[in-house]
Amino acid sequence: MSDTTFTLADLMALLSEKTGLPQSAHTTDPDAHFADIGLDSLAFLSMQTELQERFGAEMSSENPDDHTLGDIVATVNAALSRPAGMA
């Protein structure tokens, strides 16, 4: 992952690592949802935990239908832009 920006490609790589998302299901559509790439709410919860642990990013809802992939990327980037120690 890049040092300053979390990208949709980074999210796809994380989902492959944590949920077994196949390369063939990767997307470049920021408006896609978890269901659009074949993932369920358990995969979303696994991703949420990983994003919290790695980046301090917290999703506003535990319902995957409430977030596009672009929303998730934006949430991580917002967490990365916060000063250290700020939650």
Side-chain angles (χ1 to χ4, degrees), residues 55 67 85:
F55 308 109
H67 306 281

Side-chain angles (χ1 to χ4, degrees), residues 5 10 20 28 38 42 44 47 50-52 55 63 70 81 86:
T5 303
D10 294 329
T28 57
L42 289 177
F44 185 78
M47 180 221 52
E50 190 66 21
L51 294 179
Q52 172 63 38
F55 308 109
N63 183 349
S81 69
M86 300 281 297

Side-chain angles (χ1 to χ4, degrees), residues 60-74:
S60 60
S61 166
E62 292 186 4
N63 183 349
D65 295 335
D66 291 345
H67 306 281
T68 65
L69 299 177
D71 292 339
I72 296 166
V73 168

Side-chain angles (χ1 to χ4, degrees), residues 35-65:
D36 298 331
I37 58 173
L39 295 177
D40 61 13
S41 59
L42 289 177
F44 185 78
L45 292 174
S46 175
M47 180 221 52
Q48 276 187 298
T49 300
E50 190 66 21
L51 294 179
Q52 172 63 38
E53 290 174 1
R54 284 192 195 187
F55 308 109
E58 292 189 38
M59 304 308 298
S60 60
S61 166
E62 292 186 4
N63 183 349
D65 295 335

Side-chain angles (χ1 to χ4, degrees), residues 12 15-16 20-29 32-39 69:
M12 292 296 104
L15 291 172
S16 289
L21 181 70
Q23 181 76 27
S24 61
H26 285 201
T27 184
T28 57
D29 181 4
H33 289 85
F34 257 57
D36 298 331
I37 58 173
L39 295 177
L69 299 177

